Amino acid sequence: MLLAERQSLILKELNDKGRVYAADLALQLGVSEDTVRRDLNRLGELQLLRRVHGGALPLQLDVPDYADRLELKHPDKQKRATAALNYLQAGQTILLDSGETCLYLAKALPRDMRLTVVTACPLIACELMHHDKADVIVVGGSFFKPALRSVGAVTCNMLRKMRFDIYFTGACALHPERGFTAKYMEEAEVMRISVEQSDRTVVMGGPDRLGLISNHQVANIRDLDVLITDLDADATMVQALQERNLQVVQV
């Protein structure tokens, strides 16, 4: 087996399983563990995987904090937010997460549609100040500056006492095997409860967030309902997500 072919198979196995072990790969590929370790080290140097003791994990996404991205314009995120409008119906109670895509969605909410909008993000609440038909509920708690949102016990307790027709959120990292993960523990806890308390969860995320993992678990793929992503998303990754009953909409 050629070197490039072997390394390609390693990456495919990693993508399929979410983690690989050097010993298992050696048996599967019919080579020594030392050969596999060299392959993993090289793939790690090329930033195609994250090397860990005994094997490898997918790259961990390092996302800049929300406040550092506010001045940037993101047409792709705006396009995903526009597509998310298709899931709205008058009279719904929706939960809008923190994040740029959710802020775009808040700006795009039809001004003639009556909604109850719940959010833990002050920026989104302020954006809806002039929406005459939207009743806005702001979830309180400790203000978590990196994500510009409320977190902690007060936030979680308040969310547990509510039910939502749809939870709209951006995607930090989404992997077929490892599921939906987030950068911060405090944020992941609030997002986990948000999924549990919602009839449907719509995730809006670009191709750069697919196939990656972050530090803290939010939900399994089967706990999510819809992913809105771009037309150029990797076809193999899209198929892997669809096989776990996630509806993938490409825009």
Side-chain angles (χ1 to χ4, degrees):
M1 183 181 296
L2 297 175
L3 173 63
E5 184 181 5
R6 188 173 66 242
Q7 293 183 351
S8 177
L9 288 172
I10 290 173
L11 291 174
K12 182 180 184 304
E13 190 76 3
L14 178 60
N15 180 64
D16 290 343
K17 295 185 176 179
R19 180 173 188 136
V20 291
Y21 297 92
D24 293 341
L25 287 171
L27 288 173
Q28 183 178 342
L29 299 172
V31 296
S32 69
E33 287 190 39
D34 285 340
T35 297
V36 171
R37 291 190 191 99
R38 286 194 295 270
D39 286 341
L40 294 176
N41 289 338
R42 179 55 180 160
L43 292 169
E45 291 169 0
L46 294 172
Q47 297 188 351
L48 295 174
L49 52 75
R50 182 159 62 101
R51 191 75 166 89
V52 296
H53 180 71
L57 292 170
L59 278 181
Q60 192 171 58
L61 187 62
D62 186 15
V63 183
D65 288 343
Y66 186 7
D68 296 331
R69 309 191 306 264
L70 277 177
E71 300 303 319
L72 303 176
K73 300 297 182 183
H74 298 284
D76 290 341
K77 294 183 179 183
Q78 189 166 17
K79 184 166 58 175
R80 291 173 217 133
T82 301
L85 295 174
N86 293 324
Y87 297 92
L88 289 175
Q89 294 182 14
Q92 288 178 326
T93 296
I94 65 172
L95 176 59
L96 285 187
D97 208 89
S98 171
E100 299 156 287
T101 311
C102 288
L103 185 58
Y104 280 121
L105 179 55
K107 292 177 179 180
L109 290 177
R111 295 304 173 101
D112 60 347
M113 182 178 286
R114 184 167 297 282
L115 296 164
T116 298
V117 183
V118 182
T119 185
C121 177
L123 285 181
I124 288 178
C126 290
E127 183 59 44
L128 295 171
M129 180 172 58
H130 300 294
H131 193 305
D132 294 335
K133 300 289 187 180
D135 294 326
V136 182
I137 299 174
V138 183
V139 180
S142 300
F143 187 59
F144 188 58
K145 293 180 181 180
L148 299 185
R149 64 175 305 153
S150 298
V151 297
V154 172
T155 307
C156 294
N157 289 338
M158 188 170 179
L159 289 172
R160 286 193 180 100
K161 294 176 182 177
M162 305 179 73
R163 291 294 305 176
F164 310 100
D165 293 298
I166 308 179
Y167 169 43
F168 292 99
T169 180
C172 179
L174 205 63
H175 190 279
E177 292 293 336
R178 290 304 179 99
F180 188 16
T181 52
K183 182 177 181 180
Y184 298 107
M185 178 174 62
E186 299 91 339
E187 188 176 23
E189 182 182 20
V190 174
M191 295 172 74
R192 188 180 309 117
I193 294 169
S194 299
V195 173
E196 293 171 355
Q197 297 299 113
S198 302
D199 293 338
R200 302 187 78 190
T201 295
V202 176
V203 181
M204 302 167 287
D208 60 325
R209 306 299 175 90
L210 307 184
L212 302 180
I213 59 171
S214 198
N215 295 338
H216 302 285
Q217 189 75 24
V218 173
N220 295 321
I221 294 298
R222 295 183 185 277
D223 295 326
L224 311 176
D225 296 283
V226 180
L227 167 66
I228 301 175
T229 190
D230 299 353
L231 289 172
D232 60 349
D234 180 75
T236 302
M237 181 59 59
V238 168
Q239 182 180 354
L241 293 168
Q242 290 173 327
E243 288 173 352
R244 286 157 179 80
N245 296 325
L246 180 64
Q247 179 187 352
V248 181
V249 177
Q250 295 179 263
V251 297

